[in-house]
Amino acid sequence: MPENKGKTGRQFPYTIVYDQCFSPCGKYLAAGSNYGDIAIFNMSAALSSDATEKSKHPVFIFKGCKDGGIFCLTSTETFLLSAGDGEIQAWRWSDLTAKTAKLAWSLTLPRSGVLANAEVNSMIINQQSHKSCLYAGGGDKKIHTWDLETGQYLSALEGHTDYIHKLLLMNEGQDCLSASEDGTVRIWDTRTTGESVQCIEPFKNELCARPLMGKWLRCLAVDSEEGWLICGGGPKMSAWHLRTLSPTTVFDTPSVSQNVALFHEDYILSAGSLACMNHWMLTGQLKSSIPCSPTSVFSLNINKRSDASKVLCIAGASPYIDVCINFGYTSFALVFQAA
């Protein structure tokens, strides 16, 4: 472990990385922390045959949020978008890779009453044929939408009764999925006026329910081509058939709660409140469990932008971001600290 000095050194052991995002070219990884910092890693350098320990540290760290943490990141072809407490902010990738951070523009959530703006827990970009839209969900129970080309606020999708933790798109952006603290996964038709068209409630299913752990949902993944949805949180992680909206598999998850999940080839990758990542068959069989650095995992991200840097990164309650080259074991760890 590198020597830690000053304020950053005291914070280092308590760093939490809530989200991460690859650049459009796939050569860089951005990661956001609970201290409001955003670190930019050069993945090409970290994966090269002559990589050094310095290659595993950020090439640039900057303050993305002054008064809170960075809870979610997403990207366009030009901008890295960050959000947490307060505004959604946009940073040019060309500036960040040149080691400068100039705020390009920002978006403000409509204020509800006299309270401060709600935090944003998840963002997705819907690249439609006629415009590019940003969807953001979080603490005010709504999914807010903007036209990214004009910055115009469009509407809010309403129906959840508690925090929204995760947003996803499927069917080429025709549907938006949201997982919430209220225990539901809602499916929204983005082509209509914005009403929820379907709702899944795992906490009401006796195979999924864990009443002592609550009904909240955070884990959400979808394979729209094959027609599967994965969700979990307080209830057990489960696979639902999208055509029938019925659970087909309930996974015997070893951790108290599942924070994240991804479909990858014929497997489901999941992680939660234990220091491990699990490989599952869709039938429910646990294929393998891989130890990882974070004691609780909040983000799994596969770099699909670059074949040369196609890796899986695991981040969470740790200053170390594990990098898996073949997804079967941890190859090395990136360090959320200047070298």
Side-chain angles (χ1 to χ4, degrees):
M1 183 181 296
E3 182 181 0
N4 305 309
K5 299 179 180 179
K7 182 179 179 181
T8 302
R10 291 196 299 271
Q11 292 177 343
F12 180 78
Y14 308 105
T15 299
I16 300 174
V17 178
Y18 287 114
D19 204 6
Q20 46 182 333
C21 177
F22 287 99
S23 64
C25 64
K27 296 179 180 179
Y28 295 90
L29 175 72
S33 80
N34 55 320
Y35 295 115
D37 297 321
I38 299 177
I40 307 297
F41 297 90
N42 186 330
M43 295 303 297
S44 297
L47 291 165
S48 68
S49 57
D50 57 352
T52 64
E53 285 303 311
K54 187 175 181 180
S55 305
K56 300 170 186 176
H57 290 253
V59 295
F60 182 49
I61 300 179
F62 67 99
K63 184 64 69 174
C65 182
K66 294 181 180 180
D67 302 317
I70 301 293
F71 300 149
C72 55
L73 298 167
T74 192
S75 179
T76 70
E77 290 301 314
T78 304
F79 300 103
L80 171 69
L81 276 62
S82 64
D85 293 316
E87 297 181 329
I88 297 170
Q89 297 181 309
W91 319 86
R92 291 186 185 275
W93 277 109
S94 57
D95 289 338
L96 300 181
T97 56
K99 303 181 183 180
T100 60
K102 302 175 183 177
L103 182 63
W105 47 264
S106 62
L107 299 172
T108 303
L109 273 69
R111 190 181 296 270
S112 300
V114 297
L115 299 178
N117 290 329
E119 75 275 13
V120 177
N121 295 324
S122 184
M123 296 186 293
I124 51 172
I125 295 171
N126 193 354
Q127 190 68 51
Q128 302 173 358
S129 58
H130 60 291
K131 62 183 176 183
S132 180
C133 295
L134 174 68
Y135 294 70
D140 65 356
K141 315 168 193 174
K142 302 175 183 178
I143 303 171
H144 299 277
T145 62
W146 289 265
D147 184 329
L148 275 183
E149 295 180 4
T150 64
Q152 178 185 2
Y153 182 81
L154 299 176
S155 63
L157 308 181
E158 300 186 48
H160 282 297
T161 59
D162 214 326
Y163 281 37
I164 295 170
H165 284 297
K166 185 67 176 179
L167 300 178
L168 287 178
L169 293 173
M170 69 176 185
N171 298 330
E172 297 182 344
Q174 295 181 15
D175 297 305
C176 175
L177 285 73
S178 54
S180 169
E181 196 91 3
D182 64 16
T184 68
V185 173
R186 291 185 177 270
I187 303 175
W188 313 78
D189 188 340
T190 63
R191 301 163 296 176
T192 65
T193 55
E195 293 188 358
S196 172
V197 294
Q198 292 176 311
C199 182
I200 296 173
E201 300 175 298
F203 71 96
K204 291 185 177 180
N205 184 286
E206 62 181 26
L207 297 176
C208 306
R210 294 188 291 192
L212 294 178
M213 298 181 187
K215 61 182 182 179
W216 62 274
L217 296 174
R218 189 183 189 278
C219 165
L220 183 63
V222 66
D223 184 341
S224 55
E225 290 186 4
E226 299 296 331
W228 297 105
L229 178 147
I230 299 291
C231 60
K236 294 179 181 178
M237 192 175 78
S238 52
W240 295 67
H241 197 273
L242 285 169
R243 293 186 184 89
T244 62
L245 292 186
S246 58
T248 60
T249 307
V250 178
F251 300 88
D252 187 17
T253 51
S255 57
V256 173
S257 61
Q258 291 297 313
N259 291 326
V260 285
L262 291 175
F263 281 97
H264 175 64
E265 297 178 349
D266 295 329
Y267 297 101
I268 297 163
L269 309 178
S270 77
S273 55
L274 292 180
C276 64
M277 181 190 68
N278 302 307
H279 286 218
W280 302 90
M281 303 293 290
L282 191 55
T283 56
Q285 177 187 358
L286 180 61
K287 190 70 175 177
S288 62
S289 185
I290 302 166
C292 61
S293 298
T295 55
S296 185
V297 178
F298 292 101
S299 176
L300 298 175
N301 201 343
I302 298 173
N303 186 3
K304 299 178 180 179
R305 301 275 190 164
S306 170
D307 290 336
S309 304
K310 189 173 182 180
V311 295
L312 167 69
C313 292
I314 307 170
S318 171
Y320 299 98
I321 302 172
D322 287 350
V323 178
C324 304
I325 295 177
N326 71 352
F327 298 15
Y329 61 91
T330 298
S331 304
F332 62 90
L334 303 171
V335 187
F336 202 113
Q337 187 188 42

